[in-house]
Amino acid sequence: MEGYLLDWANLLLRWLHVIVAIAWIGSSFYFVWLDNSLRAPSDAALKEKGVGGELWAVHGGGFYNPQKYLGAPRHLPEDLHWFYWESYSTWLSGFGLFSVLYLFNPKVFLIDPNVANLTPTVAVILALAFLVVGWLVYDVLCRALQKKEGLLAVLVVAFVVIASWAACNLFSGRAAFLIIGAMIATIMSANVFFWIIPGQRKVVAAMKAGQPVDPIHGQRGKQRSVHNTYFTLPVLFAMLSNHYNMTYSHQYNWLVLVLIMVAGVLIRQFFILRHKGVVNVVYPIVAVALLAAVAAWIAPSRPAAAAAGASAAAVDVAQVKPVMDKHCIQCHAAAPTLMPTPAKGLMFDQPDQIKAHAQQIYQQVVVQKAMPLGNITNMTEDERALIGRWFEGGAK
C-alpha cells in the first residue's frame, strides 16, 4: 500500500508540475515576445500618459492593445495582476517531486558507486547544497557585475559548466542532470521571489505614497527576467533527460549536458532576436549542428559480444535467468526489494517475461549499459556479454 500511495504522489506531483510549468514558461515567453514587439505609439494622448510602447494583436476572435509605460503610470489602477504564483507553484511542485523520487530513495536514484561512494545522508545533503549554493553564487555574480552583462554571462556559463562537471562526478548520471536542472530552476524562481516581485512591490508602494519611482527596480527586474528566459530551454532538457539514458550514461556526460544546454540557449537567442525583427539563421544552424554532433559522438558502438555472437556457443534464457535474478529483479519483479512497485511496470521473474522484453534488456544492459540503475548490483562485463550473445543468437 505504501508503494501504491507513493506512485499516486508521483503521478499527481508530476501532473501538477507540468501544468504550472506550462503556465510559467508560457507567460515568460509571452512577455519576452511582447516586450520585444512593442512599437512607439503614434497617438499623442498615449505619449502624454507616459506610454512608451504598444502592440495591436488579434486572438480568439478579439482584438487586444497591450501598452507599456515608461517607468510607471501616473495613476495606479485598483485591479493589478501579479505574475508570481506560476513561478512559486512550479518550484514547489518540482521540489516535491524531486523529494519523492530522489531524496526519499537516494541509494537507488542519487548514488552510483562507480562514480562516488557516498552515503545516502551525504548524497541528500550534497543534492540540496547544489540548489542553495547555485543560487548564492549566481546572485553574488549578478550583484558584483550588474553593469557588465558580457562578463557576467561568461562567468555564469563557466559556473554552470563547473557545477555540471561536479554533479556528474558525485551522483549517478540521471540524478546529476536533474540536479543541474533543479539548480538552474531554483535560480529562476529565486529571481522572481527575491528580486522581480519585491522590486515591483516597491514601485507600487512608492506610487501609493506619492513618492518618485526609482527606475533601478525595473532595471534589476528586467535583467533577472532576461536571464530566466535564457535558462528555460536548458532546464527543460535537464528535466526531460531522465527518460533518455544515452545522454546521462556517457563517460563524459557532463560535457553532453553542457553542449545540449548551449544548443538550447542558441535556439532561444534566435527567437528573442526574431521578436525584434532580426532573423539570424546562424543560431539555429549552429544549435542543430551541435545537437547532431553530440548525437553522433555518443552513439553506441556495436558491442564486441554481439560481433562474436555468430561463432560463440548458443546461449538460451536458462543461462540468462540467473543473471537477471542477481541484478534485475530487485527492481523488476512482482515484489521488488529496491522499489515499492515494479520499475516501469516490467517484471522479469519468469523466463517468458525476460524473452518478451529481450530488445529492451539488450538495449539497456548491453548497448547503453544504463541498467542496473547506477550499476547498484555491480553487474560485470562478462554478464553483459552473456546477455549480448543471448540476444544476438535470437533470444531463445
Side-chain angles (χ1 to χ4, degrees):
M1 181 57 70
E2 179 184 352
Y4 179 72
L5 294 177
L6 282 175
D7 278 347
W8 268 102
N10 183 347
L11 168 62
L12 296 178
L13 281 170
R14 191 181 297 273
W15 194 13
L16 173 64
H17 185 55
V18 170
I19 291 170
V20 292
I22 289 171
W24 185 19
I25 294 170
S27 62
S28 173
F29 278 16
Y30 170 74
F31 276 103
V32 170
W33 169 83
L34 177 61
D35 203 46
N36 289 322
S37 302
L38 295 173
R39 299 292 181 266
S42 56
D43 190 333
L46 292 179
K47 294 180 181 179
E48 177 65 22
K49 289 197 306 180
V51 174
E54 67 168 341
L55 172 77
W56 280 93
V58 59
H59 178 74
F63 292 90
Y64 298 82
N65 180 214
Q67 301 168 355
K68 181 179 179 180
Y69 285 76
L70 294 171
R74 296 173 185 174
H75 303 288
L76 190 66
E78 293 183 7
D79 230 353
L80 187 63
H81 183 78
W82 296 77
F83 288 88
Y84 57 81
W85 71 264
E86 301 93 338
S87 168
Y88 303 161
S89 300
T90 300
W91 190 89
L92 289 171
S93 59
F95 184 76
L97 187 60
F98 179 60
S99 299
V100 168
L101 289 180
Y102 287 81
L103 300 186
F104 290 172
N105 299 284
K107 190 175 180 180
V108 175
F109 291 107
L110 286 180
I111 300 171
D112 182 348
N114 297 312
V115 175
N117 193 19
L118 304 175
T119 66
T121 300
V122 170
V124 169
I125 292 173
L126 286 175
L128 294 174
F130 267 82
L131 308 188
V132 176
V133 175
W135 159 248
L136 293 176
V137 171
Y138 164 81
D139 191 52
V140 167
L141 289 174
C142 287
R143 290 171 183 264
L145 301 170
Q146 184 176 342
K147 297 183 179 180
K148 298 179 180 178
E149 199 64 42
L151 178 58
L152 174 59
V154 170
L155 292 180
V156 169
V157 170
F159 170 65
V160 172
V161 172
I162 293 170
S164 299
W165 176 86
C168 289
N169 281 276
L170 286 171
F171 306 102
S172 68
R174 176 179 178 173
F177 277 36
L178 190 67
I179 286 169
I180 292 301
M183 181 190 79
I184 300 174
T186 298
I187 290 172
M188 294 172 65
S189 198
N191 276 339
V192 177
F193 184 80
F194 290 111
W195 287 99
I196 297 173
I197 294 301
Q200 291 173 346
R201 292 193 186 281
K202 289 177 182 178
V203 169
V204 171
M207 292 181 64
K208 289 181 176 179
Q211 300 173 348
V213 174
D214 190 343
I216 190 63
H217 303 304
Q219 294 167 7
R220 288 173 176 167
K222 178 68 177 295
Q223 179 197 46
R224 302 298 178 108
S225 292
V226 170
H227 291 179
N228 278 4
T229 199
Y230 283 109
F231 285 146
T232 303
L233 296 189
V235 167
L236 287 176
F237 164 71
M239 296 308 181
L240 294 173
S241 65
N242 63 92
H243 297 286
Y244 305 99
N245 54 32
M246 71 277 195
T247 58
Y248 62 74
S249 62
H250 192 268
Q251 179 183 1
Y252 297 103
N253 51 5
W254 68 271
L255 186 55
V256 173
L257 174 60
V258 168
L259 292 176
I260 295 179
M261 288 196 298
V262 168
V265 170
L266 292 174
I267 292 170
R268 189 71 189 116
Q269 174 68 357
F270 167 77
F271 282 101
I272 290 173
L273 291 176
R274 188 171 177 272
H275 298 334
K276 299 178 180 179
V278 178
V279 178
N280 190 337
V281 296
V282 172
Y283 288 107
I285 289 175
V286 173
V288 171
L290 193 57
L291 292 173
V294 171
W297 172 42
I298 67 176
S301 58
R302 185 177 177 83
S311 60
V315 176
D316 61 27
V317 73
Q319 294 168 274
V320 171
K321 179 71 164 59
V323 177
M324 303 295 289
D325 289 344
K326 180 180 177 182
H327 298 289
C328 304
I329 64 170
Q330 293 86 345
C331 297
H332 298 286
T337 57
L338 290 180
M339 291 188 173
T341 56
K344 301 293 184 182
L346 299 177
M347 292 177 283
F348 303 140
D349 302 88
Q350 303 300 323
D352 287 345
Q353 295 171 323
I354 297 173
K355 288 192 291 184
H357 298 285
Q359 174 66 49
Q360 290 170 282
I361 293 170
Y362 175 73
Q363 187 70 24
Q364 296 290 321
V365 174
V366 181
V367 178
Q368 297 182 351
K369 298 183 179 180
M371 291 291 157
L373 190 62
N375 201 17
I376 190 172
T377 58
N378 295 312
M379 179 179 283
T380 67
E381 290 302 314
D382 288 342
E383 289 169 326
R384 295 184 193 276
L386 178 71
I387 294 175
R389 292 198 304 272
W390 167 67
F391 179 80
E392 290 293 325
K396 299 177 181 179

